[in-house]
Structures are given as structure tokens and as C-alpha cells.
């Protein structure tokens, strides 16, 4: 079994936006597959038509693409084991449902929702299982002729898994070790519904993992309770030898307090829980996404990778996808829940903005420039970005920090003006203008700085006094990068225009 080729799958149900926990599941599957030279599949588990949400599948694919999580096979990727959308695999499932019926591992049940509800009222904690199934309407309690007649007459039915009570089921999990369950806690799960002519999640999931030769099932902790049922299904089919190995990932916890991370925590504390912006097609509710909030995909990947796993030892926390692939192992995943420290996410984003290519950042800033009717060439924007990115954690801050480069100030910060703009400031700014007129149009940073400082010294002015007013005139407030980097960006003509405007306005 251990020499099996590693093949993993990410198997989301298209029921809405992909939660950040789902992103982590996809990422760990990807890292595991890549680190073992294995395959990664994308399977869409859409057998529950009630919960199907239009657009969710496309959203999932786009989100994973943005993050750089690639698949070898699957929906939108193709491959030899398709179709990869479960709703297109009806014919395949029918065969396996029949197989379980033929083996006596499953049976047909006719109980209507009303009848089931009545039972639940009659019996406390009613469970459809070995202790109750003979009192229900199914092929175990009814004569064969009656069952056949009902089916022929078109009455809807379900197929239930016949679970033997009081058996020990051991699920061996790479992260949690051996987890033992008693089969009596399980009910006779519905595996197939004639009304949809589709299996339920459990059967489709097992049959597909088997047919798609999945070697490892890596998924969220919420699926751990389903795993004994899955083990029993493998047994019922006689597929124990090729049963995938399980790894159930730890829960993502609230950044503060206890409990599971929810979308409400994100709304409350101001961080996205979805990779991309999501508009719920029914309610039209808009949820923020990491991409639109101004995160770089590398930062999200790095941040999410460390929620429940760490490489240990001396390794740095800043890890590229390639480094993650080299270091990742399921054995190093923790059992304990991982606190969702979103400030750490911002910290990673700041880091990746610093190392990002300035032209790429300029491209990300371009839509905002367009919104403000600013036309600037990409190289120029890249230079502006380079000046301010050190102060930015999120992409929109690039605009907040650099807008003064593109737009001449229309007002001057009052507090700064009151404190800095003195009686002789106007005169000094005009002298500065005259000096700049003697310099090249490009105002080269070092040359300009030397000349300006020389003039200040010779005139006997205070360096601070002059430079503060200079900044106020050019930026409109007391912030921003190195003054002479700014003036080199603006050029002589614009710098002078700003000086003159400040003198006119501030007097
Ligand atoms: N369709 C399930 C989900 O939405 C898949 C669980 C599994 O990986 O087995 O997460």
C-alpha cells in the first residue's frame, strides 16, 4: 500500500463561497501531492441539488487559480478519470448501489418524511438502525413482492446502508492516530435517493475516491465523524486494501476567545474569510475577499499554510510555495485547533509587498488611478509605488500613500500649517523656487538635495523650518517619503507650481 502513487483530491461542494478553511484544505492537499510527486484532483461534489448555489463552482476554480494551487486532473482540467462533477456520474453510482443491495449490505426503504417525523415524536432520540429498522417500511421488514410492486408502481424510495451494531471501527488518521468508534452510534445512512436518481455524499465520495485511485484523504476536522461510516463502506465493497489514508486537519479558531472561526468574526474584526469577493446570488449579500481587500496571493498562501502546520526547527516563517512544498508534511500538522491570527496575515502581506515587483504592484494600483482619471505610464507608477510601499500592508494603501504624487494638493493640513508656516516661509519658498529654476527639469535626487541644503546653510535658515514648509507645500501634509525622492518624481515644473500654489494659499 505504501508504494501506491500519491493521489489526492480537493472535493468541495458548490454550496457557496470557499471558506478560508477550505482554502487551507486545498493548499495542504496541493503541498502534499507536490512534495510526493503525486497528483492533485479537483472533484465537484454536487449531488445535493437542494444546496447547489450557482456560481460557486466557478468561484472555487478562480480562487484556487489566483492562489497558485494547480490541479493535474478534474473539473475544468480534464483527465482520464472523469467526469469529475458528481452530478454527471449517475450511471457509475447506480452500479455500485446495486452491488451493495446484491451483497445484502444495503436495503431499500419507503418511509416517507411524515412517517419518519412521526417515529421521531414517538421514540426519544430515534435513530434508523439495527434496533429500529424492522419496525420501519423497508425491504428487510416487507415481503419481496410488495417491495417489487411498490418500485414498479413508481413509488419513491431510498437505499440505506445496513450497519451492523456494536462493531469496533478503527479509523487510522495520520494526524490524530487511531480513533476508535462503535458502529452503534451510526444510523443506517441514506446512500441513494430514487427521487434524484443520485447517491448522497457518502456513497459518491467513497466510490469516487476508489475509482479515482485516491491514496490520501486530507480534509477538515468536521468530516472526522463521517470517517467510520466511510471505513465501513470500504469494507462492504471489499476495497479495504486500497482504502485511502485519512488526515483530518485541525479546526480554525476565532482570533479572540474560543470556538470555530466564522464569517461573523471576520465582519466583527474586519478581515475577510473568503479568498475572493463573493456576492450571494440569493440574498445579494456581499462578502469581502482577500484579493479585493488588497492581499497578494503569496501572502495568503504563506499565512494559511501556517494555520495548523509548521515546519519546526530553524526554518523561517516566510516561505514561498516551493519552500512550503519542500518542507510540508502531514505528520507535522497539529491536532489542536489553530487560532486565526489575521494580524499575522497583514504582516505577511506587508512582507510580500516589499519583495513584490514594483511593476506588478503598479498594475494592481492602476484600476484605482483610472477611477481617479489619472493617466500615468506604468514605469512612472512603479517608481511611485517603490517610494511608498514600505508603509503599506494592503494594496489600497499604495494609493493612500502615493496619491499626492499624482494629484496636486488642494488643501494644506491645518495643524501643520499653523505650526510650521511662519512669517518668512513664503519668502523662503519663493527663494527655493528660484534655486530650483537653475536645476535640470528632472531634479535629480542627490544634486537637488546638495544644492538645496547648500542654499539653506548659506542663507542661514533653519534646515527643519525650510524642509517642513517645503513638504507641506508639495505633499499638503507632514507625511511621505524622502523629500528629494518626491521632487525627482514630480520634476521641476510641477514642484515649482506646487510651491507657488502654497505661497498663494498660505500667504
Ligand atoms: N464535499 C465535501 C466538502 O464539501 C468533501 C469532504 C471530503 O473531502 O471528503 O468538503
Amino acid at each position: 500500500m505504501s508504494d501506491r502513487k500519491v493521489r489526492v483530491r480537493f472535493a468541495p461542494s458548490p454550496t457557496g463561497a470557499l471558506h478560508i478553511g477550505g482554502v487551507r484544505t486545498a493548499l495542504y492537499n496541493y503541498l502534499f501531492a507536490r512534495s510526493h510527486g503525486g497528483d492533485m484532483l479537483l472533484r465537484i461534489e454536487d449531488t445535493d441539488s437542494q444546496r447547489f448555489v450557482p456560481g460557486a463552482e466557478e468561484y472555487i476554480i478562480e480562487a484556487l487559480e489566483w492562489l497558485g494551487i494547480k490541479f493535474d486532473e478534474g473539473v475544468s482540467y480534464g483527465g482520464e478519470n472523469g467526469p469529475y462533477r458528481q452530478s454527471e456520474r449517475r450511471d457509475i453510482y447506480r452500479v455500485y448501489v446495486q452491488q451493495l443491495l446484491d451483497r445484502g449490505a444495503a436495503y431499500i426503504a419507503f418511509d416517507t418524511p411524515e412517517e419518519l417525523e412521526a417515529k421521531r415524536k414517538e421514540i426519544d432520540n430515534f435513530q434508523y438502525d439495527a434496533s429500529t429498522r424492522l419496525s420501519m417500511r423497508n425491504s428487510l421488514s416487507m415481503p419481496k413482492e410488495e417491495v417489487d410492486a411498490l418500485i414498479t408502481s413508481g413509488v419513491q424510495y431510498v437505499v440505506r446502508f445496513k450497519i451492523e451494531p456494536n462493531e469496533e471501527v478503527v479509523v487510522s488518521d495520520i494526524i490524530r492516530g487511531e480513533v476508535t468508534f462503535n458502529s452503534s452510534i451510526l444510523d443506517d445512512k441514506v446512500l441513494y435517493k430514487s427521487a434524484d436518481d443520485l447517491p448522497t455524499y457518502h456513497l459518491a465520495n467513497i466510490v469516487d475516491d476508489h475509482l479515482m485511485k485516491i491514496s490520501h484523504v486530507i480534509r477538515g476536522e468536521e468530516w472526522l465523524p463521517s470517517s467510520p461510516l466511510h471505513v465501513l463502506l470500504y469494507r462492504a465493497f471489499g476495497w479495504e486494501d486500497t482504502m485511502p489514508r485519512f488526515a483530518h486537519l485541525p479546526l480554525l479558531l476565532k482570533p479572540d476567545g474560543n470556538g470555530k472561526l466564522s464569517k461573523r468574526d471576520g465582519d466583527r474584526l474586519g478581515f475577510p474569510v473568503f479568498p475572493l469577493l463573493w456576492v450571494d446570488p440569493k440574498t445579494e449579500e456581499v462578502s469581502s475577499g482577500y484579493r479585493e481587500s488588497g492581499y497578494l496571493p503569496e501572502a495568503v498562501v504563506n499565512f494559511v499554510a501556517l494555520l495548523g502546520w509548521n515546519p519546526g526547527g530553524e526554518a523561517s516563517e516566510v516561505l514561498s510555495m516551493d519552500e512550503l512544498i519542500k518542507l510540508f508534511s502531514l505528520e507535522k500538522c497539529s491536532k489542536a485547533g489553530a487560532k486565526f491570527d489575521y494580524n499575522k496575515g497583514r504582516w505577511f502581506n506587508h512582507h510580500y509587498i516589499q519583495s513584490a515587483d514594483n511593476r506588478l504592484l503598479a498594475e494592481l494600483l492602476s484600476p484605482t488611478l483610472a477611477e481617479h482619471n489619472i493617466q500615468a505610464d506604468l514605469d512612472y507608477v512603479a517608481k511611485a509605488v517603490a517610494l511608498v510601499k514600505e508603509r503599506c500592508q494592503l494594496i489600497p494603501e499604495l494609493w493612500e500613500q502615493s496619491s499626492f504624487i499624482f494629484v496636486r494638493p488642494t488643501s494644506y493640513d491645518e495643524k501643520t500649517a499653523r505650526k510650521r508656516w511662519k512669517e518668512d516661509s513664503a519668502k523662503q519658498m519663493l527663494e527655493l523656487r528660484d534655486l530650483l529654476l537653475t536645476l535640470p527639469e528632472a531634479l535629480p535626487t542627490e544634486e537637488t538635495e546638495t544644492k538645496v541644503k547648500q542654499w539653506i546653510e548659506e542663507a542661514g535658515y533653519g534646515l527643519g523650518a525650510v524642509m517642513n514648509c517645503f513638504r507641506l507645500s508639495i505633499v499638503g501634509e507632514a507625511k511621505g517619503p524622502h523629500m528629494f525622492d518626491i521632487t525627482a518624481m514630480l520634476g521641476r515644473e510641477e514642484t515649482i507650481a506646487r510651491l507657488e500654489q502654497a505661497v498663494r494659499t498660505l500667504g
Side-chain angles (χ1 to χ4, degrees):
M1 204 159 97
S2 54
D3 53 11
R4 251 180 116 186
K5 172 155 200 203
V6 165
R7 283 172 62 82
V8 296
R9 82 306 194 264
F10 182 55
S13 298
T15 56
L18 180 61
H19 189 269
I20 198 75
V23 169
R24 184 192 58 179
T25 301
L27 177 62
Y28 283 16
N29 272 287
Y30 177 73
L31 296 176
F32 183 74
R34 285 292 175 272
S35 64
H36 288 86
D39 298 331
M40 163 86 162
L41 281 70
L42 177 63
R43 184 170 77 220
I44 297 290
E45 303 209 324
D46 59 348
T47 56
D48 188 348
S49 56
Q50 306 277 323
R51 298 187 58 219
F52 179 83
V53 172
E57 178 187 305
E58 293 76 5
Y59 176 97
I60 292 166
I61 292 170
E62 190 182 339
L64 297 176
E65 240 164 42
W66 177 66
L67 291 162
I69 297 172
K70 299 183 203 85
F71 292 86
D72 302 289
E73 282 175 41
V75 170
S76 94
Y77 293 86
E80 290 171 5
N81 299 280
Y84 295 92
R85 208 177 273 116
Q86 289 187 328
S87 58
E88 293 164 17
R89 297 171 63 80
R90 284 191 159 78
D91 296 346
I92 299 171
Y93 303 129
R94 241 179 255 129
V95 175
Y96 290 97
V97 172
Q98 194 54 49
Q99 221 181 77
L100 290 181
L101 287 169
D102 294 346
R103 289 171 182 220
Y107 59 92
I108 289 171
F110 298 99
D111 318 270
T112 62
E114 295 75 34
E115 286 165 347
L116 289 168
E117 192 45 44
K119 272 285 175 206
R120 273 185 218 114
K121 284 213 179 104
E122 181 192 322
I123 304 172
D124 279 349
N125 302 320
F126 169 77
Q127 180 166 281
Y128 207 122
D129 62 15
S131 68
T132 56
R133 62 171 82 107
L134 289 179
S135 67
M136 307 299 289
R137 293 181 53 238
N138 55 50
S139 59
L140 300 174
S141 64
M142 290 156 66
K144 186 171 183 314
E145 303 73 49
E146 200 183 331
V147 171
D148 291 345
L150 282 173
I151 294 176
T152 326
S153 70
V155 168
Q156 300 298 1
Y157 61 90
V158 299
V159 173
R160 286 183 180 270
F161 192 31
K162 187 172 166 223
I163 292 192
E164 301 303 337
N166 261 318
E167 270 182 27
E168 218 171 61
V169 188
V170 181
V171 177
S172 127
D173 187 290
I174 299 173
I175 298 173
R176 279 144 218 278
E178 292 204 336
V179 191
T180 309
F181 296 84
N182 186 304
S183 65
S184 297
I185 61 162
L186 302 172
D187 64 337
D188 289 356
K189 273 273 173 308
V190 172
L191 299 179
Y192 170 87
K193 294 179 183 167
S194 70
D196 304 337
D197 185 23
L198 268 174
T200 57
Y201 156 74
H202 300 288
L203 185 96
N205 187 271
I206 289 332
V207 167
D208 287 348
D209 282 349
H210 174 73
L211 295 178
M212 296 176 185
K213 303 184 258 319
I214 298 302
S215 65
H216 294 76
V217 166
I218 304 168
R219 62 184 173 189
E221 172 168 273
E222 65 275 23
W223 299 99
L224 185 62
S226 302
S227 57
L229 172 70
H230 294 182
V231 170
L232 290 173
L233 275 167
Y234 276 102
R235 269 193 220 163
F237 279 116
W239 294 336
E240 294 101 316
D241 287 352
T242 55
M243 185 165 91
R245 299 207 53 202
F246 290 109
H248 288 92
L249 305 175
L251 220 55
L252 292 185
L253 304 174
K254 294 182 186 308
D256 53 351
N258 295 317
K260 211 175 126 190
L261 173 73
S262 72
K263 185 171 137 29
R264 245 176 299 130
D265 298 318
D267 296 341
R268 182 168 57 87
L269 298 166
F271 62 86
V273 298
F274 299 133
L276 313 180
L277 182 102
W278 168 252
V279 184
D280 187 299
K282 268 201 218 98
T283 62
E284 285 179 9
E285 188 198 348
V286 179
S287 306
S288 64
Y290 277 87
R291 183 177 64 185
E292 292 73 12
S293 300
Y295 284 80
L296 297 175
E298 296 80 3
V300 178
V301 163
N302 198 156
F303 167 52
V304 168
L306 296 174
L307 296 170
W309 168 82
N310 77 75
E314 303 285 280
S316 144
E317 287 186 302
V318 176
L319 298 163
S320 67
M321 190 71 102
D322 285 341
E323 289 164 330
L324 288 168
I325 291 170
K326 274 197 207 101
L327 292 166
F328 186 77
S329 82
L330 286 173
E331 284 77 14
K332 290 217 177 89
C333 288
S334 83
K335 274 194 273 242
K339 250 195 200 336
F340 194 79
D341 181 0
Y342 62 100
N343 283 322
K344 197 70 199 251
R346 296 174 73 106
W347 181 87
F348 275 114
N349 208 49
H350 177 259
H351 175 87
Y352 281 93
I353 287 179
Q354 305 323 302
S355 50
D357 177 45
N358 294 326
R359 282 182 68 96
L360 175 109
L361 295 174
E363 273 165 26
L364 294 174
L365 182 57
S366 290
T368 314
L369 295 177
E371 273 169 38
H372 289 86
N373 288 318
I374 294 162
Q375 280 163 5
D377 93 26
L378 201 62
D379 283 329
Y380 185 80
V381 180
K383 273 192 208 146
V385 159
L387 281 188
V388 302
K389 68 180 189 175
E390 198 195 321
R391 297 150 206 267
C392 302
Q393 281 194 327
L394 300 171
I395 296 299
E397 293 164 10
L398 289 174
W399 167 248
E400 290 157 28
Q401 295 292 335
S402 70
S403 61
F404 74 87
I405 294 176
F406 303 97
V407 195
R408 199 179 288 176
T410 49
S411 63
Y412 300 90
D413 180 59
E414 241 175 79
K415 225 176 113 198
T416 315
R418 219 178 306 125
K419 194 160 153 210
R420 305 287 184 199
W421 196 269
K422 300 275 157 61
E423 236 157 73
D424 47 359
S425 297
K427 182 178 150 267
Q428 290 172 351
M429 290 307 107
L430 292 176
E431 277 178 36
L432 175 53
R433 173 199 61 186
D434 294 342
L435 169 72
L436 296 180
L437 277 169
T438 67
L439 296 175
E441 164 62 31
L443 295 185
T445 309
E446 271 161 44
E447 186 185 343
T448 312
E449 177 163 5
T450 313
K451 289 278 164 58
V452 170
K453 286 190 170 159
Q454 212 176 351
W455 156 71
I456 294 175
E457 210 186 300
E458 280 164 11
Y461 298 146
L463 180 67
V466 173
M467 290 308 291
N468 283 321
C469 288
F470 190 16
R471 184 175 292 279
L472 182 65
S473 305
I474 301 302
V475 180
E477 50 188 318
K479 67 159 201 194
H482 185 53
M483 254 333 279
F484 297 100
D485 283 334
I486 300 176
T487 50
M489 280 298 299
L490 297 178
R492 193 181 61 199
E493 204 181 313
E494 175 63 19
T495 304
I496 286 174
R498 290 187 186 199
L499 282 173
E500 289 175 342
Q501 180 185 283
V503 169
R504 271 199 309 277
T505 315
L506 296 168

